Amino acid sequence: MPSDKIVTAAVLIIGNEILSGRTRDANLPFLAQWLNRLGIRVAEARVVPDDTAAIVGALDALRQGCDYVFTTGGIGPTHDDITAAAIAKAFGRPIERHPEAYRRLASHYAPGQFNAARQRMADMPAGASLLDNPVSRAPGFRLDNVFVLPGVPAILQAMVEGIGPLLTG
């Protein structure tokens, strides 16, 4: 007998560049349409700055109220990419270098190109599961009902195909 429960998701868009208007978000419309096709309703979306307290506060609220949360942005190699550390803080877990993520990244870059900033893309909350990235090899990750994705639309769109089987709509 089918359930009458509506499965919900939230989208947490992270980045000063979105709030300033320098970058137009393309991920929310894409994710909403994709999730709808899977039978999952986007119940809420928020945009927060590159600020740990703002990310933690929004994530805590959203993951309590929705079946799934998808974050976009803040997992690249730049100084303001603090999403992984903020999510670790929200879950009360340490951030650590994920060995498989490190291996994938190291194999992607030419010798001498895998610098400290790029190595930081392998830092994730303890216990995180990798989400494959067929474009640039820098993986996203999953922790409980939270899926952490990059902000670059082409990369995010390529990654969600591998996430679909993990979701129940």
Side-chain angles (χ1 to χ4, degrees):
M1 181 170 179
S3 170
D4 290 336
K5 179 186 180 330
I6 296 172
V7 179
T8 61
V11 178
L12 179 58
I13 302 159
I14 300 164
N16 294 339
E17 67 280 7
I18 302 293
L19 290 167
S20 72
R22 289 189 315 267
T23 301
R24 177 182 285 172
D25 176 67
N27 292 324
L28 176 58
F30 174 82
L31 285 170
Q33 290 173 359
W34 174 71
L35 288 163
N36 189 53
R37 286 194 304 270
L38 296 175
I40 300 169
R41 180 184 301 164
V42 174
E44 187 171 353
R46 296 188 190 188
V47 182
V48 297
D50 296 308
D51 175 81
T52 299
I55 296 167
V56 169
L59 183 64
D60 283 344
L62 295 172
R63 68 186 174 115
Q64 299 303 319
C66 292
D67 297 296
Y68 302 109
V69 177
F70 294 84
T71 74
T72 69
I75 59 171
T78 61
H79 72 281
D80 60 345
D81 289 323
I82 61 168
T83 298
I87 289 175
K89 185 172 184 174
F91 278 90
R93 297 190 184 189
I95 189 111
E96 60 187 22
R97 185 133 304 162
H98 193 289
E100 177 59 18
Y102 187 89
R103 185 195 67 73
R104 289 180 191 184
L105 287 162
S107 71
H108 176 71
Y109 290 101
Q113 297 294 311
F114 192 40
N115 59 30
R118 289 176 171 156
Q119 290 173 27
R120 280 187 342 120
M121 293 188 295
D123 294 346
M124 300 174 184
S129 303
L130 297 184
L131 300 174
D132 291 330
N133 175 346
V135 177
S136 69
R137 301 292 307 261
F141 63 88
R142 176 186 183 179
L143 201 55
D144 294 341
N145 66 333
V146 177
F147 293 80
V148 181
L149 299 168
V152 178
I155 299 174
L156 178 140
Q157 291 172 20
M159 290 177 70
V160 298
E161 293 312 315
I163 297 172
L166 304 174
L167 306 174
T168 302

